[in-house]
Amino acid sequence: MSDNLNTQESPPEIQFAGVNRWLKENLFSSTGSSILTFLSVGVIIGLFRSIIGFFISPEREWTAITYNLRLYMVQAYPESDFIRVWITIGLVLGLLGLTWGFNSVSEKVSLKSTSTTFMKVFSSIFFLILIAPSTVVIDKVEGTEAEVLQQSLRFYLLGIFGILLLSSYFIRTRLAKQEMAKDYLNILYVGLLVVALWLIKVPTVTFDSSNVRLDPDPYMSLATSTKIPWTFLYVLLVATFFIGKYLSSKNIKSVKRILPASWLLTPLVVVTWIYRKPDFTMTQIATLDLPIIIGFSLIGYLVINFLNSEKLVQYQRFFVYGSLLIALVVFSLPVVRQLKLPLFMLWILISIAPTIANSKESARNLFIVWTVSIAILILLMRGGASESLIVVPGSSIYGGFALTWVIAFFGIAISFPFGVILALGRTSTFPIIRIICTALIELVRSVPFITWLFFGSVMLTFFLPSGVEFDEVVRAVVVTSIFSAAYLAENVRGGLQSISKGQFEAADAVGLSTLQRISLIVMPQALRAVIPPIVSQVISLFKDTSLVAIVGLFDLLYIGSKVIPNQSQGANFLGTIQENILFCAIFYWLFTYSFARRSMKIEKRLGLGER
Amino acid sequence: MNKKTIVFLLVLALVAVACATDTATEEVAVEEEHDHEDHSTLEEVQERGFLKCGVSGSAVAFSETQADGSVTGIDADYCYAVAAAVFGDYSKVEFTALTAAERFTALSAGEVDLLIRNTTWTQSRDTELGNDFGPTTYYDGQQLMGRNSDGLSASSTLKDIDGLRVCTNAGTTTEKNITEGARLAGAAIELVTVEAFPEAMEKFKAGECDLVTTDGSGLVGNRAKEGALNDWAIFPASPISKEPLGPVYRSNDSQWADVVNWTVYATFIADEYGVGRANVDSFDYDANPEMGRLMGKNDGELQTVMGLSADAFYNVIKQVGNYDEIYSKNLNPVGLYREGSANAPWTDGGLIYAPPAR
């Protein structure tokens, strides 16, 4: 940009100087470069041909994936309870639509650039179909050949993509000036995916009456069981998008607070109530949970209004320590769990009430927040603690992608606050806190992840008192989050060190308390600086979830690499390891790449690396 | 807010919480009663209502996970059989997938009641780890696989491998067995060691070695995978090592051991007399009193003494099948047959033998 002093806002459009001139300048400028051009074109075509050959070879059993998709996603989760999985997805999509609509900006995209992208995509596919190998040697010993891509099918596909190519070219030339909102375009893309579910045929394994596997029929379409829910969910997504847009136009402030809270709450509700079928009776809720909720709500009311009176506020310190003591004592006593956690929350309420509830309105708000959170907490505990009525024909409800996702999500969600606390503890001036945090970080980091997983799976049972049992999945989640928190703490500590001393001093000079200094001045800057390493950490945690296979949990990769290639009964997919591993690789890539894209957007929004 | 209201609210709050705690302590008390150490595994399982069975979950024909998440295979079928004997309902099993490394720890920690995970019965595992082994359900053994084009066949012996290259995984008993076996037979072999068996298989397919060696069931599975039934030969007929696979349970629990052992024996005996799923109802038990006793057709005292219902083994045969049915269903599809192997009934020269039921 140094020699270009043009200060125009948009870069000047590059004029296309003609195919001949471009070719001459870039590919055939001399004899040597012409030879290189031909050589590399030959190599590229050969490479693509062998890749497509791998995909469409009749040796490939892609049915191993389509037939086992259910195993890949939820392992043994019973079919009769799939509605719970769909409700879970629906809840997330609904929230996604609301958030998307609420935060939507009227960004417009010109149809020209969109159709250019489509032209690129369609012409690449056109080219790939054109060079696809038609025959592949199947049997190395006997030398028989099988037709892979029939010429008629090739022409059929070429025709389809030719038409698509032409129509996008038509849009590019005729409607170049038109613009479209980016959000609507994205809705259209997702809609096309859903339409594809109805149109595209996927080979499916079928059996005859005597349970013998038939050759896959390539003209069977996707199972109806997923087509209809996805269509319904798409409608839900679009509807919530417009609701979110409407709320945004009405400028309702409370939505801004409720949305993040619902995002935090959703996974907990899903895990404790929706994904399982809690065994509870209404009498339990009426005799146990309701009194506790009402009781704590009343105590909270008293704390908020009574503790702020001028006479008592000077004794606030005693109330704080007293409530902490009570919470700790009750925690060690054999009383019902529903009483233990609220007491800790009460301690927090007593600590913060005088500072927050300083006006009549804020006291009312705090009371509402208190009652709602106590009610949610108690109900979540009721759901999580009661037995699930879902009968699973295997070891665990969770398996496959559901397991990968649960471990990754809760691993990240738990390790993030824990890691930040550890980082703050390590930089603290209190020696005892600093030593504990440093020791914990170093201990966790110095032992391999696999060892910790073994510890959680095999040795933890010997340390716990008899009768106390944790689910294997819970143990894996706990180990993963502690391990990840130690690494995250070091990343965050790096961010903390990048903050100049002046910032701390300035915060002290304006009279901020320690908590305010950390939460308002230090942390926002420190976290902003370490977004790239934190995203790396998230990506590596997501991939590390595949290690839980060594403690006997079936994650996505283990199902692909070990379980399906060993299925000899029923459909018989012995030795289909290449197809399955490739599928897993694409699946992981989709997720990690979208994490990376998301973080790039956040970095851009925060102006990271520019200031 | 006046003082009276405050006191009233406080009292109300305390009463509400106290109400809740009253009911709560009862719940805790009930929970604590479940703490049991000295119960036998059978009582524990019956009280719990389902059997916890440790399997591999990804072993061809032994315990596979199917597309709907269900577990099948010969190991899984014996889990189903024990559940059928204990509950009269084969489906009351919860499978736990265990890796080779953690299987014995999981058993001794009580995470599973029964371990059927293609585990070889050896002296050290039986005596040192606090486990006991039940009757063998599958006699495996190390064999070799070579190409028919090299002049090898199912009737070849270790003498025929003189001068050939053998691929195997390093540092295992497999490697030791083939070295010792070849030396005893006087055959000079070139040993090519790799890290894991799939690698050895790749080298064999690529022609970098003439033979591969591992457990017979593994070789057959790999031959079936590659569709080379007529091109590759597995030999010698009597394997060069003994790998008896069967159920494992914790030591010092005689009652539970009896339940597992006799469930396995019941499938053997039913096979011996030709009683299977199809004819278990129509079989003439008066003509065969031993089967009558085993199936609980007269008084069924033999079963009730063990702590099971009289028709426990009838349920096993009715719901899961006899040994031959279990074997054929799971192992025939990958090319393993009983005829002529150690898994043939004792009357045909095999090792499948059960003590009499009387």
Side-chain angles (χ1 to χ4, degrees):
Chain A
M1 277 283 162
S2 57
D3 55 347
N4 186 0
L5 294 173
N6 195 344
T7 50
Q8 255 181 299
E9 287 212 345
S10 60
E13 208 164 303
I14 297 158
Q15 292 296 316
F16 197 56
V19 179
N20 279 338
R21 198 174 143 201
W22 184 84
L23 282 178
K24 202 162 185 228
E25 274 178 9
N26 292 288
L27 298 175
F28 301 103
S29 56
S30 68
T31 329
S33 76
S34 305
I35 293 172
L36 268 182
T37 303
F38 279 119
L39 272 180
S40 42
V41 165
V43 167
I44 289 169
I45 289 184
L47 196 68
F48 274 127
R49 265 178 72 92
S50 52
I51 291 173
I52 309 164
F54 176 85
F55 270 98
I56 61 177
S57 157
E59 274 180 82
R60 298 281 92 73
E61 274 231 51
W62 295 107
T63 44
I65 290 151
T66 52
Y67 183 71
N68 281 300
L69 264 183
R70 182 175 148 191
L71 181 67
Y72 262 127
M73 291 302 136
V74 292
Q75 198 186 342
Y77 202 76
E79 202 165 356
S80 53
D81 285 295
F82 274 4
I83 184 73
R84 294 170 182 278
V85 180
W86 290 119
I87 289 175
T88 307
I89 300 174
L91 207 62
V92 172
L93 280 185
L95 265 181
L96 189 76
L98 270 181
T99 320
W100 183 17
F102 193 73
N103 297 324
S104 84
V105 277
S106 48
E107 199 181 332
K108 298 234 170 186
V109 202
S110 76
L111 281 182
K112 192 175 175 183
S113 68
T114 315
S115 51
T116 313
T117 319
F118 272 114
M119 271 179 73
K120 282 178 192 161
V121 172
F122 288 143
S123 52
S124 324
I125 298 176
F126 193 82
F127 172 71
L128 290 180
I129 297 170
L130 205 63
I131 62 164
S134 56
T135 56
V136 158
V137 178
I138 293 183
D139 200 324
K140 281 171 199 140
V141 186
E142 291 173 27
T144 48
E145 287 184 357
E147 201 157 6
V148 174
L149 184 65
Q150 290 166 355
Q151 294 303 340
S152 56
L153 184 62
R154 189 200 300 268
F155 285 121
Y156 174 69
L157 290 174
L158 283 180
I160 290 178
F161 282 96
I163 290 167
L164 286 172
L165 192 57
L166 279 178
S167 47
S168 43
Y169 178 73
F170 178 79
I171 293 172
R172 189 176 183 274
T173 47
R174 291 294 161 88
L175 303 166
K177 293 280 181 289
Q178 300 283 327
E179 282 192 331
M180 200 173 174
K182 206 174 175 184
D183 290 331
Y184 293 132
L185 205 64
N186 285 336
I187 286 180
L188 194 72
Y189 289 155
V190 181
L192 286 177
L193 281 180
V194 175
V195 171
L197 275 187
W198 289 89
L199 294 182
I200 293 173
K201 315 283 185 192
V202 169
T204 313
V205 175
T206 44
F207 299 90
D208 67 5
S209 53
S210 55
N211 221 17
V212 174
R213 180 178 159 192
L214 300 170
D215 281 336
D217 173 9
Y219 298 107
M220 288 266 287
S221 65
L222 276 175
T224 336
S225 62
T226 58
K227 266 195 295 200
I228 291 168
W230 278 121
T231 313
F232 180 75
L233 291 176
Y234 175 67
V235 174
L236 180 82
L237 180 73
V238 176
T240 47
F241 169 77
F242 283 109
I243 293 172
K245 229 174 146 62
Y246 172 78
L247 289 177
S248 164
S249 69
K250 287 278 162 195
N251 211 357
I252 302 170
K253 270 187 190 154
S254 57
V255 180
K256 223 172 188 170
R257 277 183 231 147
I258 291 171
L259 271 181
S262 337
W263 273 114
L264 286 176
L265 205 60
T266 311
L268 296 173
V269 174
V270 165
V271 169
T272 53
W273 281 87
I274 301 178
Y275 216 173
R276 48 211 303 285
K277 201 192 253 171
D279 177 22
F280 70 96
T281 54
M282 272 305 164
T283 36
Q284 275 177 324
I285 290 190
T287 57
L288 182 64
D289 297 343
L290 269 184
I292 291 188
I293 293 171
I294 294 168
F296 274 98
S297 166
L298 288 174
I299 295 174
Y301 184 78
L302 287 176
V303 165
I304 290 164
N305 293 299
F306 183 57
L307 213 63
N308 276 346
S309 66
E310 280 167 23
K311 267 186 245 164
L312 278 172
V313 88
Q314 50 183 323
Y315 302 115
Q316 207 243 345
R317 216 149 31 111
F318 299 107
F319 284 115
V320 171
Y321 290 127
S323 59
L324 179 61
L325 194 69
I326 292 173
L328 285 173
V329 167
V330 172
F331 193 75
S332 57
L333 289 177
V335 292
V336 81
R337 314 177 187 81
Q338 269 89 338
L339 209 58
K340 291 178 178 173
L341 280 184
L343 279 173
F344 278 102
M345 285 184 63
L346 190 67
W347 167 58
I348 295 174
L349 181 77
I350 291 176
S351 329
I352 62 166
T355 22
I356 291 182
N358 39 22
S359 74
K360 208 154 199 181
E361 200 195 351
S362 57
R364 204 198 60 198
N365 284 343
L366 185 63
F367 175 68
I368 293 172
V369 170
W370 165 253
T371 309
V372 169
S373 36
I374 280 289
I376 289 172
L377 179 79
I378 298 282
L379 290 178
L380 283 182
M381 285 173 81
R382 164 64 60 202
S386 55
E387 207 151 293
S388 175
L389 288 178
I390 295 176
V391 183
V392 182
S395 56
S396 169
I397 291 182
Y398 305 113
F401 177 64
L403 176 81
T404 301
W405 188 234
V406 160
I407 294 180
F409 184 89
F410 283 98
I412 293 161
I414 298 171
S415 72
F416 192 78
F418 193 47
V420 169
I421 290 171
L422 275 181
L424 286 172
R426 200 174 177 173
T427 51
S428 157
T429 45
F430 283 108
I432 181 77
I433 295 178
R434 197 175 58 232
I435 289 168
I436 289 174
C437 289
T438 312
L440 191 66
I441 291 172
E442 294 307 330
L443 176 71
V444 171
R445 280 204 309 174
S446 57
V447 178
F449 185 43
I450 291 182
T451 317
W452 282 120
L453 279 174
F454 266 121
F455 179 83
S457 153
V458 175
M459 285 166 69
L460 208 61
T461 8
F462 292 108
F463 285 93
L464 293 170
S466 79
V468 179
E469 258 181 63
F470 282 120
D471 191 53
E472 190 87 31
V473 179
V474 177
R475 282 185 251 170
V477 168
V478 169
V479 168
T480 313
S481 26
I482 292 176
F483 189 78
S484 159
Y487 278 88
L488 214 112
E490 287 302 279
N491 285 341
V492 174
R493 194 168 64 94
L496 288 175
Q497 279 173 351
S498 74
I499 302 198
S500 67
K501 216 165 167 71
Q503 299 281 332
F504 288 84
E505 285 162 358
D508 287 338
V510 256
L512 297 182
S513 70
T514 316
L515 194 70
Q516 283 171 324
R517 187 183 66 206
I518 288 171
S519 59
L520 297 175
I521 307 289
V522 179
M523 266 304 148
Q525 299 185 69
L527 287 182
R528 189 174 142 263
V530 291
I531 288 175
I534 285 181
V535 173
S536 288
Q537 174 72 26
V538 167
I539 289 176
S540 104
L541 174 72
F542 184 72
K543 291 183 295 180
D544 279 350
T545 55
S546 59
L547 289 172
V548 299
I550 61 155
V551 295
L553 291 171
F554 286 5
D555 76 306
L556 185 81
L557 182 63
Y558 191 79
I559 287 178
S561 65
K562 289 277 160 57
V563 174
I564 297 175
N566 278 327
Q567 287 178 340
S568 74
Q569 290 168 3
N572 194 344
F573 293 119
L574 278 180
T576 53
I577 192 154
Q578 288 161 326
E579 296 87 338
N580 283 297
I581 293 272
L582 196 68
F583 172 76
C584 292
I586 292 171
F587 211 89
Y588 276 108
W589 178 82
L590 271 180
F591 276 86
T592 48
Y593 184 66
S594 52
F595 292 161
R597 282 299 294 263
R598 188 77 214 144
S599 87
M600 273 189 251
K601 270 194 183 151
I602 294 174
E603 280 174 37
K604 217 174 179 179
R605 208 173 66 198
L606 294 175
L608 201 66
E610 284 169 20
R611 272 187 275 172
Chain B
M1 196 159 49
N2 61 17
K3 254 181 196 168
K4 261 185 190 166
T5 348
I6 291 171
V7 172
F8 174 70
L9 284 178
L10 198 63
V11 169
L12 203 66
L14 289 177
V15 166
V17 174
C19 280
T21 355
D22 256 359
T23 39
T25 33
E26 278 166 36
E27 269 181 36
V28 175
V30 174
E31 270 168 35
E32 275 175 359
E33 252 177 49
H34 287 283
D35 229 342
H36 34 60
E37 282 284 292
D38 43 354
H39 282 199
S40 102
T41 310
L42 178 63
E43 286 167 38
E44 216 172 287
V45 170
Q46 279 170 336
E47 200 176 303
R48 192 194 303 130
F50 59 89
L51 172 77
K52 287 201 232 171
C53 205
V55 293
S56 153
S58 58
V60 181
F62 282 86
S63 53
E64 304 173 358
T65 310
Q66 296 303 329
D68 60 351
S70 61
V71 186
T72 61
I74 186 168
D75 285 354
D77 273 350
Y78 272 102
C79 292
Y80 289 131
V82 172
V86 176
F87 301 109
D89 179 359
Y90 79 97
S91 67
K92 296 206 164 151
V93 185
E94 188 183 271
F95 287 104
T96 302
L98 294 173
T99 55
E102 60 171 2
R103 53 185 161 183
F104 296 117
T105 336
L107 181 65
S108 55
E111 282 179 38
V112 292
D113 307 310
L114 183 62
L115 174 71
I116 315 186
R117 193 204 173 278
N118 37 3
T119 306
T120 304
W121 183 357
T122 65
Q123 188 187 1
S124 60
R125 282 174 180 175
D126 201 352
T127 53
E128 289 166 17
L129 294 172
N131 304 319
D132 278 341
F133 282 76
T136 301
T137 51
Y138 183 81
Y139 290 95
D140 210 343
Q142 189 180 340
Q143 284 177 306
L144 293 122
M145 182 159 73
R147 294 183 187 80
N148 287 354
S149 52
D150 289 343
L152 296 166
S153 70
S155 57
S156 301
T157 62
L158 279 187
K159 285 200 173 65
D160 300 322
I161 64 167
D162 196 27
L164 296 179
R165 293 164 298 170
V166 183
C167 273
T168 185
N169 31 347
T172 57
T173 47
T174 320
E175 185 190 352
K176 212 167 75 188
N177 290 337
I178 183 65
T179 324
E180 282 176 8
R183 206 179 53 228
L184 283 178
I189 55 164
E190 187 192 326
L191 209 59
V192 184
T193 54
V194 293
E195 200 52 49
F197 185 72
E199 253 175 86
M201 205 56 218
E202 288 304 316
K203 276 197 185 302
F204 174 69
K205 277 194 283 179
E208 286 174 45
C209 40
D210 310 304
L211 296 163
V212 279
T213 178
T214 190
D215 287 355
S217 59
L219 289 176
V220 169
N222 271 290
R223 188 169 65 172
K225 262 187 212 178
E226 304 298 331
L229 210 61
N230 301 319
D231 303 326
W232 298 344
I234 294 175
F235 66 94
S238 52
I240 58 173
S241 77
K242 292 179 286 183
E243 311 284 345
L245 312 177
V248 194
Y249 33 75
R250 286 181 287 276
S251 297
N252 305 325
D253 191 347
S254 176
Q255 196 185 13
W256 181 239
D258 288 341
V259 170
V260 176
N261 291 0
W262 277 94
T263 305
V264 177
Y265 289 143
T267 63
F268 290 178
I269 297 169
D271 171 33
E272 194 180 325
Y273 293 116
V275 181
R277 296 180 69 163
N279 64 346
V280 67
D281 289 319
S282 60
F283 190 75
D284 183 6
Y285 291 105
D286 295 330
N288 188 328
E290 185 177 357
M291 275 317 290
R293 283 193 296 273
L294 193 67
M295 297 288 115
K297 288 298 165 187
N298 11 48
D299 57 354
E301 195 203 339
L302 290 175
Q303 280 76 246
T304 47
V305 164
M306 296 169 66
L308 298 174
S309 65
D311 62 349
F313 298 136
Y314 164 82
N315 291 328
V316 171
I317 306 301
K318 178 75 189 164
Q319 297 179 5
V320 185
N322 65 27
Y323 182 77
D324 191 62
E325 285 171 322
I326 295 174
Y327 187 102
S328 319
K329 185 179 96 189
N330 295 306
L331 297 167
N332 286 0
V334 291
L336 289 167
Y337 296 95
R338 290 183 78 191
E339 289 78 33
S341 76
N343 297 302
W346 64 282
T347 44
D348 293 349
L351 294 172
I352 298 300
Y353 177 92
R358 60 168 184 254

